[in-house]
């Protein structure tokens, strides 16, 4: 009897220790997708057929609140096609972090939307696609038609973060950055 109890007690203790460690609430935490800070947005317009690059810039080094951002618009020619590249940076770090590559790598979760204001004769079509053949918008084609543009015309650029919900809608997901660039078409 004495020999029987000792192994049983040992098995019971081992089972208790195993149960207490396997039922722990310390399961592997889900890795969080750290939100990136985007302080700078640059739009690079390259005219097809040759010509100088035109750049529009948004810069807000202290993020939301604090100092007002600096926004420099662009003047585009009428009846012209441009290749557009968007550059996203976090310049609060030194050296600046390139957020563009991260958005491109996570293309299945991100999309840039381009919304011209009323009367601005301009269309933007994304030329890059994610693994599901949905647009990302880091590279696009911009076509202008007649000018001049109405005073106060803008091109609103919105980067949406849509993990698992990307469907081509600007109304889905969280907004990572939103900027309205003054645009003139001459």
């Amino acid at each position: 009897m004495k020999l029987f109890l000792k192994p049983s007690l040992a098995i019971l203790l081992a089972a208790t220790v195993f149960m207490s460690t396997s039922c722990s609430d310390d399961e592997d935490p889900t890795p969080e997708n750290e939100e990136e800070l985007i302080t700078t947005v640059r739009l690079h317009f390259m005219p097809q057929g040759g010509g100088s690059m035109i750049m529009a810039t948004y810069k807000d080094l202290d993020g939301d609140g604090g100092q007002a951002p600096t926004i420099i618009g662009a003047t585009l020619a009428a009846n012209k096609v441009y290749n557009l590249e968007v550059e996203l940076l976090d310049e609060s770090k030194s050296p600046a972090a390139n957020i563009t590559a991260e958005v491109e790598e996570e293309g299945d979760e991100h999309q840039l939307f381009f919304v011209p204001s009323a009367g601005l004769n301009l269309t933007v079509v994304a030329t890059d696609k994610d693994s599901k053949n949905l647009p990302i918008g880091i590279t696009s084609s911009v076509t202008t038609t007649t000018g001049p543009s109405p005073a106060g015309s803008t091109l609103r650029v919105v980067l949406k973060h849509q993990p698992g919900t990307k469907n081509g809608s600007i109304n889905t997901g969280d907004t990572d950055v939103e900027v309205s660039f003054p645009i003139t078409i001459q």
Side-chain angles (χ1 to χ4, degrees), residues 42-86:
R42 294 183 185 138
L43 306 181
H44 302 266
F45 296 91
M46 286 298 298
Q48 289 186 0
S52 299
M53 183 190 71
I54 300 163
M55 187 164 65
T57 304
Y58 161 87
K59 190 177 284 195
D60 188 5
L61 297 180
D62 61 0
D64 289 337
Q67 299 286 327
T70 302
I71 303 174
I72 299 171
T75 300
L76 305 175
N79 302 309
K80 189 89 178 162
V81 179
Y82 295 87
N83 295 326
L84 172 63
E85 286 188 27
V86 177

Side-chain angles (χ1 to χ4, degrees), residues 43 45 55-57 70-76 117 120 149 152-156 179-185:
L43 306 181
F45 296 91
M55 187 164 65
T57 304
T70 302
I71 303 174
I72 299 171
T75 300
L76 305 175
S117 62
L120 182 62
S149 53
S153 294
T154 60
L155 177 62
R156 186 165 60 111
V179 181
S180 289
F181 290 94
I183 299 290
T184 301
I185 298 177

